[in-house]
Amino acid sequence: MPEQNHASLKSAAFKAIDRARDEIIGLARKIYETPEVGFEETVTSGLVAEKLEALGLNVRRRVALSGLKAVRRFSAASPTIGVIGELDAVRVPGHPDANPETGAAHACGHHAQLGSLYAVAVGLNIPELSGPLSGSVAFLATPAEEFIDVGRRLQRRESGEIHFLSGKQEMIRLGAFDDVDLAMMVHTSSEEPSGRFIVGGSSNGHLVYSVRFTGRASHAGGAPHEGINALQAATVALTAINTQRETFEERDVTRVHGIITRGGASVNSVPAEVIYEGRVRGRNLAAVDKVAARVERCFKAGALALGCEVQVTAIPGYLPIRNDPAFDEVFVANAKAVAGAGSITRQPYDDTRGGSTDMGDLSHLMPVIHPYVTAARGMTHGADYKISDYETAVILPARVMVGTVIDLLADGARLAGEIRQKHQPAYSRAEYVRLQTERLRTIQYRGQ
Ligand SMILES: [Zn+2]
Ligand SMILES: [Zn+2]
């Protein structure tokens, strides 16, 4: 078993993590207290950068606006293992620890990932590993995993600040993953019981919508007949979308949902502009596209009924994740060694969770794993989501990832090489960028 072969190296790395335990958890807690939304995680990113720099790492800051990357080199040869932590919070204004101005809260537990990322860097920063390991480890803190604030991000796109609307999508495009051969991260989960790893499974792909209904303002009391009510058009569209739900097939894991981010300007004026931000999810792109075509018809139906205009911008969301089974085996062996054989829940690889992640995009370019650690309470993205135990949320996954890196890079990085060879990437970076660029389209429809 590989974990027995490298037991002394791992134990030295674990000791380094244990010595820095309070500082590592302190970083995760500090980040929890400064929640920031996607592409705006400047304080968060700065906190992580300072810690990595204190370990002697050279940190490239402001990658994809607020991301960062640092590489620890054991030898000049490849491969490079990517260890990822996500920087952003999600907007849950009712969360007790939300930023009162922005409503941002770490209701998805990403702050724990950043604590783990730093802990892995600490564990690998010991002289004992310099001889036995080959290749490198890249630490990547990625912005904007939560696909929110679509209007704001479209503005950033128009001004040339970004091209894709999520952090990993953008970091792939910019080449930040070009020298990375395999990548992993561990996400927290509030499933019970605590202290387990959920390994395998898949996630939904998705398409994101920004939809603008444009009508005509008039006095809502004095001359409503002179106006064209964009809010009524949106209401018809949403009702039409709901009529489609009986056509959704169970096997597609379809999800259609959204919010109205602008419902009108003043109550005494017929709403002339309404903006809907929505999403269509499904277990593969064919399932997404099938439902997307119907949803787009419904947007037009709303405009047609009221005689207004609608502009539908369809934005490339995430690809379904393809966790790499051979890579998972290395992680599982280490999880068993660290947390016991009973700590693992295996999810079938065709079992799709309803949510989505931009690790899915990365998994189409290289072997990737995205296990979960159960270490939180409450509902993900809910007002009650909270890390219940930082030792389990931050330190435990870090130990498993350190063990995994050691197994991958020891013995001339034999295991990493084998995983990479077995893996069939779906796309090159250029093909991926082309695919996601082509998925972006705008439909104009005049309902008159
Ligand atoms: Zn989330
Ligand atoms: Zn998340």
Side-chain angles (χ1 to χ4, degrees):
M1 291 295 283
E3 75 271 15
Q4 284 159 350
N5 292 344
H6 314 120
S8 65
L9 297 179
K10 291 179 190 175
S11 125
F14 294 166
K15 275 187 194 134
I17 293 175
D18 290 343
R19 278 196 298 273
R21 182 190 176 279
D22 291 350
E23 191 203 346
I24 292 163
I25 290 178
L27 173 67
R29 286 189 185 277
K30 175 98 183 147
I31 291 169
Y32 181 76
E33 287 162 13
T34 48
E36 297 170 297
V37 293
F39 291 125
E40 295 175 16
E41 313 96 323
T42 48
V43 175
T44 308
S45 197
L47 289 168
V48 178
E50 277 170 29
K51 289 288 183 190
L52 294 178
E53 279 165 356
L55 296 177
L57 290 165
N58 193 355
V59 178
R60 226 175 92 207
R61 298 183 187 223
R62 286 179 283 282
V63 184
L65 298 186
S66 48
L68 66 81
K69 180 178 176 185
V71 179
R72 164 96 164 95
R73 241 173 258 293
F74 295 104
S75 76
S78 65
T80 296
I81 313 298
V83 175
I84 294 174
E86 295 165 340
L87 290 159
D88 57 331
V90 61
R91 287 190 206 273
V92 187
H95 195 289
D97 298 315
N99 178 307
E101 276 162 36
T102 64
H106 273 294
C108 205
H110 294 183
H111 62 299
Q113 297 173 25
L114 298 168
S116 294
L117 178 144
Y118 174 54
V120 173
V122 167
L124 296 176
N125 194 41
I126 54 170
E128 291 92 321
L129 297 177
S130 290
L133 299 193
S134 306
S136 306
V137 176
F139 300 99
L140 299 120
T142 63
E145 188 276 332
E146 307 289 356
F147 212 121
I148 61 170
D149 298 343
V150 175
R152 172 89 184 99
R153 290 187 196 175
L154 281 173
Q155 280 172 2
R156 287 188 187 277
R157 185 177 194 278
E158 273 155 35
S159 69
E161 286 178 80
I162 52 174
H163 178 69
F164 291 141
L165 271 60
S166 102
K168 291 187 202 71
Q169 291 182 334
E170 189 64 356
M171 284 176 77
I172 291 170
R173 183 185 73 85
L174 294 168
F177 285 99
D178 280 4
D179 61 346
V180 178
D181 297 282
L182 295 84
M184 68 173 150
M185 57 173 281
V186 178
H187 197 291
T188 56
S189 159
S190 58
E191 285 173 45
E192 295 287 345
S194 181
R196 282 180 312 125
F197 290 97
I198 304 168
V199 177
S202 185
S203 61
N204 260 340
H206 69 46
L207 191 65
V208 177
Y209 284 108
S210 175
V211 183
R212 182 191 307 268
F213 295 92
T214 308
R216 186 169 63 223
S218 67
H219 197 294
H225 53 284
E226 303 279 2
I228 299 176
N229 193 319
L231 184 58
Q232 298 291 20
T235 305
V236 171
L238 295 187
T239 303
I241 288 170
N242 288 333
T243 65
Q244 302 295 316
R245 294 190 189 276
E246 67 191 42
T247 70
F248 297 169
E249 294 175 74
E250 294 292 343
R251 61 172 183 212
D252 287 342
V253 198
T254 305
R255 306 277 190 271
V256 180
H257 55 96
I259 57 173
I260 288 179
T261 57
R262 184 172 173 84
S266 53
V267 67
N268 55 4
S269 179
V270 168
E273 184 188 60
V274 167
I275 297 174
Y276 170 80
E277 189 176 297
R279 192 152 305 175
V280 172
R281 306 186 200 241
R283 63 178 295 123
N284 53 43
L285 288 191
V288 171
D289 289 345
K290 180 172 63 183
V291 175
R294 297 177 199 162
V295 164
E296 287 166 21
R297 229 165 42 207
C298 297
F299 294 138
K300 291 178 185 170
L304 179 64
L306 273 292
C308 76
E309 281 182 44
V310 65
Q311 177 185 289
V312 180
T313 307
I315 300 147
Y318 298 155
L319 304 178
I321 197 166
R322 316 181 328 157
N323 281 300
D324 185 274
F327 194 172
D328 266 338
E329 289 315 317
V330 186
F331 184 90
V332 165
N334 280 283
K336 283 182 179 167
V338 168
S343 66
I344 315 290
T345 301
R346 302 298 293 255
Q347 201 183 350
Y349 286 100
D350 60 353
D351 187 357
T352 302
R353 287 170 171 256
S356 312
T357 168
D358 54 6
M359 273 300 264
D361 293 45
L362 194 61
S363 76
H364 283 67
L365 277 76
M366 66 183 67
V368 152
I369 57 170
H370 183 278
Y372 291 83
V373 62
T374 59
R377 273 193 227 107
M379 278 177 289
T380 309
H381 293 192
D384 58 351
Y385 192 85
K386 204 157 175 149
I387 296 300
S388 47
D389 172 8
Y390 276 80
E391 180 76 31
T392 310
V394 175
I395 305 291
L396 187 69
R399 289 162 72 106
V400 178
M401 284 195 279
V402 161
T404 302
V405 167
I406 290 173
D407 285 342
L408 291 170
L409 295 185
D411 312 321
R414 181 184 53 80
L415 204 47
E418 282 174 16
I419 292 170
R420 203 170 43 156
Q421 263 191 341
K422 255 190 258 171
H423 183 85
Q424 282 286 346
Y427 308 118
S428 67
R429 167 159 68 100
E431 288 165 344
Y432 165 80
V433 170
R434 198 180 321 124
L435 168 86
Q436 289 292 60
T437 301
E438 283 169 4
R439 286 180 77 204
L440 188 130
R441 62 207 153 79
T442 300
I443 305 157
Q444 291 276 3
Y445 180 76
R446 186 185 287 268
Q448 284 165 345

